[in-house]
Amino acid sequence: MALTHPPRHRFRSLPLVVLLLTAMALVLGPAPSSAAEDKWWDPTARPAPDARVNVTGEPFKGTDAQGNVRGFVDAHDHIMSNEGFGGRLICGKPFSEQGVADALKDCPEHYPDGSLAVFDMITKGGDGKHDPVGWPTFKDWPAHDSLTHQQNYYAGIERAWRAGQRVLVNDLVTNGVICSVYFFKDRSCDEMTAIRLEAQKTYDMQAYIDKMYGGPGKGWFRIVTSSGQAREVIEQGKLAVVLGVETSEPFGCKQILDVAQCSKADIDRGLDELKELGVSSMFLCHKFDNALCGVRFDSGALGTAINVGQFLSTGTYWKTETCRGPQRDNPIGNAAAPEAEARLPEGESVPTYATDAQCNTRGLTDLGAYAVRGMMKRHMMLELDHMSVKAAGQAFDILESADYPGVLSSHSWMDAGWTERLYKLGGFAASYMSGAEGFSAEAKGRDALRAKYDVGLGYGTDMNGVGGWPAPRGADTPNPVKYPYRSTDGGSLIDKQTTGERTWDFNTDGAAHYGMVPDWIEDIRIVGGQGVVDDLFSGAESYLRTWGKSEQHTPGQNLAQGTRASASSTEWWNPIENFAPGRAVDGDLNTRWASEWSSDQWLRIDLGSAKPVGRVTLDWQEAYAKSYRIELSDDGTNWRTAWSTTAGDGGLDTARFTSSQARYVRVHGLERGTKWGYSLREVGVYGS
């Protein structure tokens, strides 16, 4: 912005010192009080024409009195999904060097009337017809119920930042199966190729915004790769952008007829590459069962369409069983999806599913467990949403065995019954961007848990994802959003957002695009109350705490490994394989201790000297204990019970208890869970 000078005719009446200062200012450039520097949040060179932000006031900086960052966190968004799925599933771009008219235009096959908007037909219903014209009229899109049009234009994200959002997780997303079966594409369906491109485009968007503000590092959109960087960015009043990954076949880990198409080496190479790209969190499965884990089903016609896609790609449909615990996968619903089912070979049909068998038979595979441990080793955060309840439960077992806090539920796809289990670990949860009434009710239902663990709340917009967003409550609603309104911090005034010839009103348009996120939060304040918004405003701090604790995590020392072990008995039936007690403390998951086939059996570990003991992990082979105790002793003779259960279910168990000194640790089996004895691959003993 150019410096504004006093009118020339006034110079004669100015004192000499003012004349000198003015001359210096002309030589040296703009004074510190120039508008360009005062309004650091306004770009010096925004493209014209462009969408408007319609927010006035300075974005807040700094922390609260306790040193906590302030602001909202969107834990699940897909800025660049137009580059995934073969490049033609999502129409439009979040930015373009050619300007808004190029960025916000429909897919070629949607012209002239949307008749070929096949994905809209499958997900929204109807015939897919719509006015394809975007800029400047936007007659029919973006819309709260359209899954095919760009909702993440950069100016909308800017509006959310100006209104108080301080963390945005950009999940790089694609799905090789959807890409392979979708009618339109202009590129390869290889998932890692799409992920690399989306990562690069996110960095390109950062550079695009930087250019508006005068050069590298000057814009408000800042990609961060650590919680410390995020805190620094937020201290400056800017938006910390975190990269995540949500794909169906990460690292090529597809399954075909239940046979894995990847190896441990592929997983290691893939995780290392993601870290190099700046990725900090990821999903291990998404929509389709893969070689790592089974998925939490989609419901209705969309679920049927996805089930068809899985069969076409892998040769298998979803398989269900009666759930083993209170947690449930989403019901499949047996709904018809004619457009998708028409792609099946002649004579092939989607199976029907019993209503009392709602859980996916697939859990976390051995490769999936290896991937979870690989993420922990690299201090990455694991997304549990989209995992089947069996897979999520097994992932929880691994995380708990290592006391690892890096676990996320970013958009309400984890069974709510596991929320406390997540909070106990130090994880973070966000709720899907649903209507204000439903979102507020979900938030209030967990008020006590958040208070107990002192955590805030996030939202997952899932914009540009296969979802759907809050519908308008109507122009005649008795308690509408009234424009303009104040931001949560009180420092900004927010008016209706205008893009081209269209002005958006949340009361009549709902959450049609990312720029409506502030209006949605105001709607929550009106419908759900200030308390829900306050919890959301502390969400960024809670997310960063989870991330920070993940970065700082160090594996505890296993006090049991390599020590002496003895047992009440040892099974002997195979002259080749040794089931001696020491096999449970040798650090090798391919060996095991096995007892004789009776219930009262024990394994004793001698730590060599008294040490503090507060956590014991047990990796059961197929023969597990339903009822057992963890006992401690100073002398190997007198025992005290530190922990017990009568509901053991095998797998990986973690027993936590108040730490106390002990030289001896005993796993005492009281009731078998199978017809065999007890069999432990490995026992870990830790100080806390």
Side-chain angles (χ1 to χ4, degrees):
M1 186 177 290
L3 179 69
T4 301
H5 308 301
R8 291 181 183 274
H9 69 272
R10 293 180 60 192
F11 272 34
R12 294 173 184 166
S13 62
L14 292 174
L16 180 60
V17 65
V18 175
L19 287 172
L20 290 173
L21 289 172
T22 303
M24 289 176 64
L26 290 171
V27 173
L28 297 177
S33 60
S34 70
E37 291 188 19
D38 280 350
K39 294 189 175 181
W40 59 270
W41 56 93
D42 281 338
T44 56
R46 188 186 296 278
D50 203 2
R52 297 175 61 186
V53 176
N54 300 104
V55 179
T56 57
E58 180 175 3
F60 60 86
K61 297 181 179 180
T63 59
D64 64 17
Q66 290 73 43
N68 299 318
V69 302
R70 299 176 293 159
F72 306 113
V73 51
D74 180 353
H76 192 106
D77 186 33
H78 303 296
I79 300 175
M80 297 295 168
S81 64
N82 58 291
E83 304 292 353
F85 309 99
R88 298 276 280 274
L89 194 73
I90 305 296
C91 308
K93 310 170 189 174
F95 77 100
S96 172
E97 295 287 351
Q98 285 72 53
V100 65
D102 180 66
L104 297 181
K105 63 183 180 183
D106 214 340
C107 290
E109 60 273 9
H110 287 194
Y111 288 87
D113 64 356
S115 294
L116 293 181
V118 179
F119 194 63
D120 248 14
M121 298 179 202
I122 294 172
T123 58
K124 184 180 178 180
D127 57 10
K129 289 186 177 182
H130 62 273
D131 180 0
V133 177
W135 177 271
T137 55
F138 298 104
K139 179 177 180 292
D140 287 338
W141 66 270
H144 71 89
D145 55 354
S146 170
L147 311 187
T148 64
H149 295 99
Q150 181 60 245
Q151 295 174 300
N152 275 314
Y153 189 61
Y154 89 91
I157 298 173
E158 180 180 358
R159 176 176 163 92
W161 158 65
R162 289 282 300 273
Q165 186 170 305
R166 289 299 177 265
V167 176
L168 188 156
V169 179
N170 177 32
D171 283 319
L172 314 174
V173 65
T174 191
N175 190 296
V177 181
I178 291 177
C179 175
S180 67
V181 300
Y182 190 54
F183 303 91
F184 306 105
K185 59 182 74 68
D186 56 20
R187 63 194 64 174
S188 161
C189 290
D190 180 72
E191 292 195 348
M192 284 307 297
T193 299
I195 294 305
R196 295 182 193 108
L197 176 60
E198 291 182 38
Q200 182 57 56
K201 288 289 187 179
T202 308
Y203 284 99
D204 291 347
M205 181 163 152
Q206 177 177 260
Y208 176 80
I209 294 170
D210 278 353
K211 187 163 62 175
M212 292 185 208
Y213 286 79
K218 295 188 176 181
W220 52 268
F221 185 94
R222 312 307 318 155
I223 300 169
V224 296
T225 58
S226 72
S227 63
Q229 286 181 0
R231 289 184 182 278
E232 290 174 5
V233 163
I234 297 169
E235 282 279 356
Q236 298 167 28
K238 299 182 179 182
L239 178 69
V241 179
V242 185
L243 297 184
V245 165
E246 184 180 42
T247 66
S248 62
E249 298 161 358
F251 328 126
C253 285
K254 184 186 185 76
Q255 61 89 9
I256 298 178
L257 296 174
D258 298 328
V259 177
Q261 306 297 300
C262 68
S263 66
K264 290 180 178 179
D266 293 324
I267 292 169
D268 283 327
R269 280 193 297 270
L271 287 172
D272 287 341
E273 180 179 4
L274 291 182
K275 286 295 289 184
E276 284 295 314
L277 290 174
V279 171
S280 299
S281 62
M282 73 172 296
F283 295 77
L284 290 182
C285 49
H286 175 233
K287 300 299 182 183
F288 302 95
D289 296 336
N290 63 23
L292 305 177
C293 50
V295 293
R296 188 166 163 83
F297 308 128
D298 278 83
S299 300
L302 179 59
T304 300
I306 290 173
N307 206 3
V308 169
Q310 172 164 307
F311 175 80
L312 293 174
S313 178
T314 70
T316 62
Y317 293 105
W318 289 329
K319 299 174 185 176
T320 65
E321 64 184 6
T322 302
C323 300
R324 300 180 182 181
Q327 286 77 26
R328 296 286 186 272
D329 287 322
N330 295 321
I332 298 176
N334 301 319
E339 290 285 344
E341 291 176 271
R343 301 293 302 274
L344 289 170
E346 186 176 353
E348 188 66 47
S349 61
V350 178
T352 57
Y353 296 93
T355 56
D356 61 347
Q358 195 176 317
C359 283
N360 196 333
T361 61
R362 298 177 192 266
L364 196 67
T365 67
D366 289 343
L367 284 173
Y370 183 82
V372 171
R373 292 186 171 95
M375 290 182 66
M376 290 162 53
K377 179 180 177 182
R378 293 164 178 83
H379 304 283
M380 299 173 73
M381 292 179 285
L382 174 67
E383 291 267 13
L384 291 184
D385 290 4
H386 289 297
M387 277 187 177
S388 68
V389 293
K390 181 184 286 188
Q394 291 165 326
F396 265 124
D397 289 342
I398 294 172
L399 297 164
E400 288 166 346
S401 72
D403 206 23
Y404 188 75
V407 56
L408 305 171
S409 173
S410 60
H411 62 336
S412 298
W413 266 69
M414 180 187 75
D415 189 285
W418 271 333
T419 305
E420 183 161 18
R421 195 173 180 184
L422 178 141
Y423 284 153
K424 278 183 178 178
L425 273 170
F428 178 78
S431 293
Y432 188 81
M433 185 187 185
S434 56
E437 184 174 348
F439 186 95
S440 299
E442 183 178 335
K444 291 175 181 178
R446 301 179 192 174
D447 276 348
L449 269 183
R450 288 197 303 278
K452 180 178 178 179
Y453 292 96
D454 189 25
V455 294
L457 176 63
Y459 49 81
T461 63
D462 202 17
M463 291 281 183
N464 284 359
V466 183
W469 299 276
R473 292 198 290 120
D476 57 350
T477 183
N479 53 346
V481 172
K482 296 179 181 179
Y483 297 91
Y485 59 87
R486 284 285 173 188
S487 59
T488 299
D489 67 292
S492 295
L493 192 65
I494 305 168
D495 210 339
K496 293 179 182 178
Q497 196 273 326
T498 297
T499 304
E501 297 172 9
R502 183 166 177 181
T503 296
W504 305 83
D505 184 328
F506 189 82
N507 302 299
T508 54
D509 297 314
H513 59 77
Y514 208 94
M516 307 302 284
V517 169
D519 308 58
W520 171 70
I521 293 174
E522 174 65 5
D523 203 39
I524 288 173
R525 186 192 67 79
I526 294 167
V527 172
Q530 186 64 40
V532 179
V533 177
D534 290 344
D535 276 1
L536 286 169
F537 203 62
S538 61
E541 173 63 29
S542 288
Y543 178 88
L544 294 179
R545 286 181 187 174
T546 292
W547 192 3
K549 286 184 288 188
S550 304
E551 294 168 317
Q552 296 159 13
H553 181 266
T554 56
Q557 180 187 1
N558 183 357
L559 304 175
Q561 188 167 323
T563 59
R564 292 184 299 171
S566 57
S568 55
S569 67
T570 299
E571 179 185 357
W572 188 93
W573 62 271
N574 185 338
I576 298 174
E577 191 171 2
N578 185 342
F579 299 123
R583 297 291 179 146
V585 292
D586 62 0
D588 185 353
L589 292 178
N590 295 312
T591 65
R592 60 190 175 96
W593 163 70
S595 76
E596 293 180 349
W597 295 9
S598 62
S599 286
D600 192 5
Q601 302 285 344
W602 49 261
L603 174 76
R604 184 177 71 173
I605 299 167
D606 181 358
L607 302 179
S609 62
K611 294 179 173 65
V613 177
R615 177 164 55 98
V616 174
T617 62
L618 304 100
D619 194 340
W620 297 99
Q621 193 253 359
E622 188 176 350
Y624 66 92
K626 180 179 179 182
S627 176
Y628 66 96
R629 296 192 296 253
I630 303 298
E631 300 169 334
L632 305 179
S633 175
D634 301 320
D635 55 13
T637 302
N638 299 295
W639 297 93
R640 59 188 183 275
T641 299
W643 184 91
S644 65
T645 183
T646 59
D649 58 359
L652 183 59
D653 287 349
T654 299
R656 285 188 177 83
F657 43 87
T658 302
S659 182
S660 64
Q661 293 285 122
R663 173 174 172 171
Y664 299 92
V665 177
R666 187 165 72 177
V667 182
H668 193 163
L670 304 173
E671 182 183 353
R672 291 172 291 165
T674 69
K675 64 181 179 180
W676 304 293
Y678 304 111
S679 185
L680 283 163
R681 293 189 182 96
E682 200 70 17
V683 177
V685 177
Y686 301 89
S688 62

